[in-house]
Amino acid sequence: MAIMFRNSYTRKKEEFRPIESGKVKIYTCGPTVYNYQHIGNFRTFIWGDLLRRYLEYKGYDVTYVMNITDIDDKIIRDSQANHIPREEFTEKYIKAFFDDLDTLGLKRADIYPYATKHIKEMTDLVKVLLDKGIAYEVNGNYYYRISAFPDYGKLAKLDMDGLKPGARVASDEYEKDSVSDFALWKAWQPSDGDIYWETEIGKGRPGWHLECSVMSMKYLGETFDIHTGGVDLMFPHHENEIAQSEGATGKKFVNYWLHGEHLIVEGKKMSKSLGNFFTLRDIIEKGYSGLVVRYLLMATHYRQQLNFTFQGLDAARNALERYNDFIVNLENFSGGQSNGAAVGIIEKAKTAFEDAFDDDLNISAALAVVFDFIRDINRLKADNDLAEDEKIKALETIRKFDTVLNFTYKAETIDEEVENLIKQRTEAKKNRDFATADKIRDDLLARGIILEDTPRGVRWKRKA
Ligand code: AMP
Ligand code: ZN
């Protein structure tokens, strides 16, 4: 079956056809590094990773690019408030971002271009737009004239009739009702302090939208296959990326636009500005592993909103446990007598797994397939109806699935999770909250981990 994606640009499910046979080029808008990313941001990055992993599973050679926004209004504001030079300030959050990607089991992108390392390419694009009469300058600021690009508003389906000609907006983020000419380049102003670049078009810094057009085209070509991001980026960010790139090249910028829904908390988007967010670190401190967070954030289809709850995390932990127990127990199974059913179960699972992902990355259907497969193989095993060669085929199958899912426990993540829970239990005992302390002990015991209070602190071991 062909891979189908729901393309936000056409609002239709379309068959995926890469520009170059066997190769796929993907761009995802990356983090703005002025703080730790929250788990809502990671939801978007995780389905980007899932998309890339599935295309690789299908045999495509994928080039995956994610930018690092290391210059913007918030970075200037917060680095100055903390009296830390911009580069040093952003470095800390870039490192944290990569650490978090590892904790969540994301594969590294092929390239993480930094905005500040592409200033020349950005001013070059402004010059092209100036030459074409699409950009114009006002007091050292450069704006994009949206009336010069007839397709403006096609992605976000804007009604352009009520537009006020000549209205300009300097800030990078704005709502649909203030659609207007947007800033490509911002002239230096005293509040920017020492944060500026001296360039051929003057002293200043790039707007946010410009960097994604420039860096995606530099590394993936003027037209590339897939661009992803959260729905909040559709307007104005992606609309402006299209206007800049297509305005400059006259070519189609992106063939498939994929937008993911938000992680929400009590009906509202998880966001820094609302303050209703958890960083990955907040969740890890509560005793959950990165893998549990990965499972929770990945298990809902990317185009559906996901409501964050701790019950959801607990359910994710249980599902992961079932998945991992299956693999370990199967590895330890010594093999029985075939009743001939295994081959059919394996073939059916493989086909259904691919059918699910081919259908616009339908993870919920894919996970149902995986857990049905686990149940069916477990049943054969329980009845001793699984022969050694069938067991090996079943293991190969789940390991192949795992190249997409990446749900298998890594030794260190269990250790980390248990250590965190022990810390919480010690804290609870200190606060005379014995109910919580006992619950943590019992929960761990249920997972086969025994705690021992020793004079040198708490030790843990696995149940034999
Ligand atoms: P930002 O650093 O704010 O530019 O966001 C980085 C990415 O995270 C973008 O693709 C956003 O769309 C995405 N994002 C932000 N908040 C959420 C959320 N609550 N749920 C899912 N994705 C989000
Ligand atoms: Zn972007």
Side-chain angles (χ1 to χ4, degrees):
M1 202 175 102
I3 300 182
M4 306 291 288
F5 289 131
R6 204 264 185 183
N7 187 348
S8 316
Y9 196 88
T10 58
R11 305 284 196 274
K12 285 195 189 94
K13 234 186 227 185
E14 296 171 356
E15 182 176 337
F16 175 63
R17 290 203 193 89
I19 295 166
E20 203 182 326
S21 165
K23 298 202 168 148
V24 186
K25 304 211 187 296
I26 311 175
Y27 186 87
T28 295
C29 293
T32 304
V33 285
Y34 73 107
N35 209 321
Y36 297 107
Q37 296 289 293
H38 58 67
I39 55 171
N41 301 131
F42 284 118
R43 180 180 189 205
T44 295
F45 302 141
I46 283 176
W47 71 256
D49 180 63
L50 178 68
L51 168 71
R52 179 257 188 105
R53 283 172 180 269
Y54 183 62
L55 289 165
E56 287 178 346
Y57 169 103
K58 292 282 270 192
Y60 287 102
D61 174 2
V62 178
T63 309
Y64 189 35
V65 178
M66 180 185 284
N67 66 305
I68 304 280
T69 301
D70 60 347
I71 174 69
D72 91 324
D73 296 344
K74 296 183 289 273
I75 290 172
I76 294 178
R77 180 194 68 197
D78 291 357
S79 64
Q80 289 183 342
N82 288 285
H83 307 289
I84 302 173
R86 182 201 59 78
E87 204 164 350
E88 195 183 315
F89 179 78
T90 53
E91 208 47 57
K92 172 178 167 190
Y93 296 112
I94 293 169
K95 179 173 182 313
F97 172 67
F98 286 121
D99 288 348
D100 288 352
L101 292 186
D102 292 345
T103 306
L104 289 168
L106 279 87
K107 229 183 210 183
R108 290 292 165 97
D110 297 288
I111 309 167
Y112 290 100
Y114 290 22
T116 57
K117 303 257 175 357
H118 296 79
I119 301 291
K120 169 84 172 83
E121 290 91 332
M122 291 193 232
T123 55
D124 283 349
L125 194 87
V126 174
K127 287 196 316 197
V128 171
L129 294 171
L130 279 170
D131 285 348
K132 293 193 161 193
I134 296 174
Y136 60 93
E137 192 234 301
V138 182
N139 300 328
N141 298 295
Y142 293 82
Y143 293 95
Y144 189 102
R145 190 191 317 276
I146 58 174
S147 61
F149 184 65
D151 281 346
Y152 194 85
K154 285 247 169 92
L155 174 68
K157 303 282 176 285
L158 299 182
D159 175 12
M160 303 296 287
D161 288 346
L163 215 67
K164 297 184 267 331
R168 284 191 297 272
V169 59
S171 72
D172 284 330
E173 289 162 79
Y174 48 91
E175 299 298 322
K176 280 186 187 168
D177 50 14
S178 55
V179 52
S180 29
D181 290 359
F182 60 91
L184 296 162
W185 180 265
K186 304 179 190 194
W188 179 83
Q189 47 185 10
S191 60
D192 293 341
D194 58 0
I195 303 179
Y196 61 82
W197 285 263
E198 288 284 6
T199 73
E200 290 171 53
I201 61 167
K203 173 175 168 178
R205 63 187 169 95
W208 169 41
H209 315 299
L210 186 61
E211 68 175 271
C212 283
S213 278
V214 164
M215 297 195 287
S216 60
M217 293 197 295
K218 171 165 180 175
Y219 295 103
L220 300 174
E222 291 180 342
T223 305
F224 60 93
D225 298 298
I226 305 176
H227 194 314
T228 80
V231 277
D232 54 317
L233 296 193
M234 198 186 288
F235 184 84
H237 186 53
H238 293 160
E239 195 70 61
N240 292 351
E241 280 186 41
I242 295 172
Q244 293 163 156
S245 295
E246 298 192 359
T249 68
K251 294 178 190 155
K252 189 171 183 194
F253 176 45
V254 167
N255 284 342
Y256 302 86
W257 284 94
L258 270 55
H259 288 100
E261 274 296 338
H262 287 140
L263 182 68
I264 58 169
V265 185
E266 287 161 3
K268 294 211 171 70
K269 174 189 171 194
M270 181 177 284
S271 69
K272 295 211 182 88
S273 53
L274 288 176
N276 61 347
F277 66 91
F278 291 98
T279 64
L280 179 59
R281 287 129 204 273
D282 296 333
I283 307 284
I284 300 274
E285 269 176 25
K286 292 186 192 296
Y288 296 94
S289 69
L291 214 52
V292 169
V293 180
R294 174 183 181 82
Y295 190 100
L296 177 76
L297 296 179
M298 205 167 99
T300 298
H301 188 258
Y302 76 96
R303 284 198 295 104
Q304 276 174 12
Q305 284 191 342
L306 168 61
N307 188 37
F308 175 77
T309 61
F310 283 93
Q311 288 94 311
L313 275 175
D314 292 334
R317 181 188 270 161
N318 289 339
L320 266 182
E321 213 166 286
R322 199 141 64 87
Y323 182 93
N324 280 276
D325 281 353
F326 169 72
I327 297 175
V328 173
N329 294 336
L330 193 57
E331 280 167 348
N332 293 331
F333 180 65
S334 51
Q337 279 289 320
S338 169
N339 74 351
V343 174
I345 291 170
I346 290 168
E347 286 314 311
K348 194 179 96 197
K350 277 188 187 157
T351 308
F353 182 84
E354 293 192 23
D355 285 350
F357 276 122
D358 283 349
D359 181 16
D360 194 27
L361 227 59
N362 190 340
I363 179 79
S364 335
L367 288 179
V369 170
V370 170
F371 284 103
D372 282 353
F373 171 73
I374 290 175
R375 182 202 58 210
D376 292 348
I377 296 291
N378 274 341
R379 197 170 291 159
L380 292 182
K381 199 158 71 55
D383 297 340
N384 236 6
D385 284 336
L386 189 71
E388 181 67 18
D389 62 325
E390 294 170 329
K391 160 195 151 170
I392 289 168
K393 283 209 185 78
L395 274 173
E396 280 168 4
T397 306
I398 191 96
R399 288 197 185 116
K400 184 87 204 285
F401 291 166
D402 201 60
T403 63
V404 182
L405 303 171
N406 197 22
F407 284 160
T408 43
Y409 290 152
K410 318 286 174 286
E412 64 277 19
T413 55
I414 307 187
D415 292 0
E416 206 178 296
E417 190 180 352
V418 171
E419 294 298 342
N420 277 319
L421 284 166
I422 290 175
K423 262 191 237 150
Q424 274 180 52
R425 179 170 168 267
T426 310
E427 192 61 23
K429 279 170 82 175
K430 222 173 24 192
N431 298 330
R432 310 193 64 74
D433 178 3
F434 297 111
T436 301
D438 287 348
K439 184 171 184 314
I440 292 173
R441 173 192 286 264
D442 293 346
D443 286 352
L444 283 171
L445 192 61
R447 296 166 61 195
I449 288 161
I450 301 170
L451 298 188
E452 290 175 329
D453 290 301
T454 75
R456 285 168 43 237
V458 182
R459 295 273 172 277
W460 65 275
K461 62 176 188 196
R462 254 173 258 278
K463 241 184 339 195

